[in-house]
């Protein structure tokens, strides 16, 4: 089973928290050991001093009253008793009359002399120290984790803005920039970029690199668009003159061939000018209400090609007739040119649903490259689909964007290319 993805924000926060917990644990152990060693050592020292005094008094036969010392006490730990009987001295924590004490024992004339001091306060002090260390460690870990989460949020937010701008650039918004154009963050709200503008870290470097790439790409595309528009504009005037001159040629096959090629060149020039206008982003739809079925039938009939039109359900939509004619005309011509008959155009506008138009042929289908990357200008050389200058589908995509139409290219399961146009849901109007 695939593990759920963890965001970079939480990865950084969890890493910081884990490191802070480890550091707090190590410091807590060190502090505990140091304090315990000093505190217990002091108790051991006092207990040994009492033992020495008791041994000295025992040697002289004087009273040991007030020294908390005993000969062979029954509560002495067995291990400490064996150590004393072997002729050595030692100390050990044990109990005496149900209370914790520190024992010290040594041999005394064939017996075991033991001295003790209360150990309860020392144990309680160590327990309170451990509680304070644990509480401080948890508090420190929580504070560091919150600080790490805040830092991770800032880093994640900056990377999110960069990713959002990259997606906008991919979608065609070449004016998007991280530095000054990312006024909409990943969540759609205002998201400034002051830290990137003033920062000198790796995230700012990535943002600057993305802005540089976007600027370079925009400059190249604009230069290409200007070149295309200038070439098409400059070709239009001489082509008009050449077409007029060709009409003066004597009738015959040469005149037909020349006029046919000149008309094709003129269509190419007009297509290039139309693409230039679409690329400039200045095109706007002139909306009006039309019956969708009749509008599609008229557009298909204007192509002069043998095409079947099926109207499953009809409705009235608000659209730009000239642009929709252009879209449908290009799709139908492309289906006849590169596919196989029958070419079928289906209109389906269910009540309350999205109006849909489908253009389908029964040929080999669209090439894989077109399905993955969309129509490419001057690229139609696919096996089984003929050749052309590749601007028809590009224009259809551009005009669809102006009208807000979702145009998708797919292949039918039983062979054949399918172009599906989904009109905006709010395009439907009351009849």
């Amino acid at each position: 089973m695939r593990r759920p993805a963890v965001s970079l924000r939480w990865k950084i926060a969890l890493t910081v928290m884990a490191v802070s917990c480890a550091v707090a644990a190590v410091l807590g152990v060190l502090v505990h050991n140091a304090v315990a060693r000093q505190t217990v050592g002091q108790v051991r020292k006092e207990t040994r001093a009492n033992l020495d005094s008791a041994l000295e008094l025992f040697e002289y036969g004087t009273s040991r009253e007030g020294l908390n010392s005993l000969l062979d006490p029954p509560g002495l730990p067995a291990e400490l008793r064996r150590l004393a009987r072997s002729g050595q001295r030692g100390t050990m924590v044990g109990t005496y009359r149900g209370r914790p004490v520190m024992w010290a024992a040594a041999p005394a004339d064939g017996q075991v002399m033991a001295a003790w001091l209360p150990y309860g306060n020392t144990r309680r002090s160590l327990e309170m120290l451990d509680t304070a260390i644990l509480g401080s460690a948890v508090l420190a870990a929580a504070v560091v984790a919150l600080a790490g989460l805040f830092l991770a949020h800032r880093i994640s937010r900056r990377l999110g803005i960069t990713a959002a701008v990259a997606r906008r650039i991919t979608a065609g918004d070449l004016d998007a920039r991280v530095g000054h154009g990312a006024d909409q963050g990943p969540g759609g709200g205002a998201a400034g970029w002051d830290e990137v503008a003033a920062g000198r870290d790796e995230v700012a470097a990535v943002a600057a690199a993305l802005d540089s790439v976007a600027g370079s790409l925009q400059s190249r595309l604009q230069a290409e668009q200007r070149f295309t528009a200038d070439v098409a504009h400059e070709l239009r005037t001489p082509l008009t003159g050449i077409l007029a001159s060709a009409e003066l040629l004597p009738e015959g096959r040469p005149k037909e061939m020349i006029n046919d090629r000149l008309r094709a060149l003129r269509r190419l020039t007009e297509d290039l000018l139309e693409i230039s206008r679409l690329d400039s982003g200045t095109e706007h739809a002139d909306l009006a209400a039309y019956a969708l079925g009749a509008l599609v039938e008229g557009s298909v009939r204007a192509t002069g090609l043998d095409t079947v039109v099926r109207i499953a359900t009809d409705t009235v939509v608000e659209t730009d007739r000239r642009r929709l004619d252009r879209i449908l005309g290009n799709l139908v011509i492309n289906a006849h040119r590169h596919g196989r008959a029958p070419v079928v155009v289906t209109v389906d506008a269910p009540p309350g649903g999205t109006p849909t138009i489908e253009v389908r042929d029964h040929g080999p289908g669209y090439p894989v490259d077109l399905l993955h990357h969309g129509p490419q200008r001057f690229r139609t050389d696919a096996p089984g689909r003929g050749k052309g200058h590749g601007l028809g589908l590009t224009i259809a995509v551009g005009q669809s964007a102006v009208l807000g139409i979702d145009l998708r290219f797919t292949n039918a399961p039983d062979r054949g290319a399918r172009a599906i146009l989904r009109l905006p849901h709010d395009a439907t109007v009351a009849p």
Side-chain angles (χ1 to χ4, degrees), residues 216-238:
S216 176
L217 178 63
Q218 184 179 34
S219 298
R220 293 186 181 185
L221 288 178
Q222 287 176 345
E224 190 176 302
Q225 293 168 4
R226 284 194 299 270
F227 175 77
T228 302
D230 292 343
V231 169
H233 182 74
E234 294 298 327
L235 285 176
R236 173 186 276 182
T237 301

Side-chain angles (χ1 to χ4, degrees), residues 48-59:
R48 288 194 190 102
N50 285 350
L51 178 62
D52 291 340
S53 299
L55 288 172
E56 184 177 351
L57 294 174
F58 176 75
E59 184 179 351

Side-chain angles (χ1 to χ4, degrees), residues 242-281:
I242 294 174
L243 282 170
S245 300
E247 294 297 328
L248 301 178
L249 294 175
E251 298 294 333
R253 181 60 180 168
K255 179 179 179 179
E256 293 179 2
M257 294 177 61
I258 291 174
N259 285 335
D260 180 67
R261 292 299 87 198
L262 287 175
R263 283 192 291 269
L265 184 58
R266 185 172 186 176
R267 285 195 299 271
L268 174 60
T269 303
E270 296 298 331
D271 287 346
L272 289 174
L273 285 173
E274 184 173 357
I275 287 178
S276 298
R277 291 193 298 270
L278 292 172
D279 287 341
S280 66

Side-chain angles (χ1 to χ4, degrees), residues 365-413:
Y366 290 118
V368 176
D369 187 63
L370 186 145
L371 295 178
H372 288 172
H373 305 291
Q376 304 293 317
R377 302 172 190 180
F378 303 104
R379 288 182 60 184
T380 60
D381 190 7
R385 289 192 63 83
K387 297 182 180 180
H389 52 67
L391 298 182
L393 295 183
T394 304
I395 292 174
V397 170
Q399 295 289 9
S400 297
V402 175
L403 295 179
I405 295 175
D406 180 18
L407 173 57
R408 299 187 181 183
F409 301 96
T410 62
N411 287 332

Side-chain angles (χ1 to χ4, degrees), residues 128-405:
M128 292 175 62
L129 173 66
D130 291 342
T131 303
I133 291 176
L134 180 60
S136 300
V138 171
L139 180 60
V143 172
V144 173
L146 290 176
L149 185 61
F150 175 72
L151 176 63
H153 172 73
R154 288 171 62 89
I155 296 175
S156 176
R157 174 172 164 272
R158 293 167 62 185
L159 291 175
I161 294 175
T162 304
V165 173
R167 287 191 292 269
R168 289 169 56 188
I169 294 173
T170 303
D173 184 7
L174 297 181
D175 292 324
R177 295 292 184 274
V178 180
H180 58 81
D183 51 353
Q184 293 294 322
W193 196 252
D194 297 336
E195 57 268 34
V196 168
R200 293 294 183 269
D201 55 10
E202 290 78 3
V203 180
V206 171
L210 178 62
D211 284 349
S212 176
V213 170
S216 176
L217 178 63
Q218 184 179 34
S219 298
R220 293 186 181 185
L221 288 178
Q222 287 176 345
E224 190 176 302
Q225 293 168 4
R226 284 194 299 270
F227 175 77
T228 302
D230 292 343
V231 169
H233 182 74
E234 294 298 327
L235 285 176
R236 173 186 276 182
T237 301
L239 272 177
T240 303
I242 294 174
L243 282 170
S245 300
E247 294 297 328
L248 301 178
L249 294 175
E251 298 294 333
R253 181 60 180 168
K255 179 179 179 179
E256 293 179 2
M257 294 177 61
I258 291 174
N259 285 335
D260 180 67
R261 292 299 87 198
L262 287 175
R263 283 192 291 269
L265 184 58
R266 185 172 186 176
R267 285 195 299 271
L268 174 60
T269 303
E270 296 298 331
D271 287 346
L272 289 174
L273 285 173
E274 184 173 357
I275 287 178
S276 298
R277 291 193 298 270
L278 292 172
D279 287 341
S280 66
T282 58
E283 294 286 279
H284 298 285
D286 185 12
L287 301 179
Y290 300 95
L292 183 60
L295 181 59
V296 171
E297 285 182 334
S299 300
V300 173
R301 191 165 50 248
T303 62
L305 301 172
D306 186 13
T307 306
V308 179
V309 179
R310 296 174 181 169
I311 302 177
T313 53
D314 201 0
T315 188
V316 176
V317 296
E318 193 174 49
T319 187
D320 187 323
R321 177 170 186 167
R322 179 183 65 84
R323 297 184 190 277
L324 189 59
D325 282 348
R326 186 70 164 138
I327 296 169
L328 290 174
N330 284 2
L331 292 177
V332 170
I333 292 173
N334 183 79
H336 280 281
R337 181 178 297 168
H338 302 298
R340 293 175 188 166
V343 176
V344 181
V345 178
T346 304
V347 178
D348 186 12
T354 302
T356 303
I357 305 171
E358 178 185 286
V359 179
R360 178 186 173 180
D361 63 51
H362 291 76
Y366 290 118
V368 176
D369 187 63
L370 186 145
L371 295 178
H372 288 172
H373 305 291
Q376 304 293 317
R377 302 172 190 180
F378 303 104
R379 288 182 60 184
T380 60
D381 190 7
R385 289 192 63 83
K387 297 182 180 180
H389 52 67
L391 298 182
L393 295 183
T394 304
I395 292 174
V397 170
Q399 295 289 9
S400 297
V402 175
L403 295 179
I405 295 175

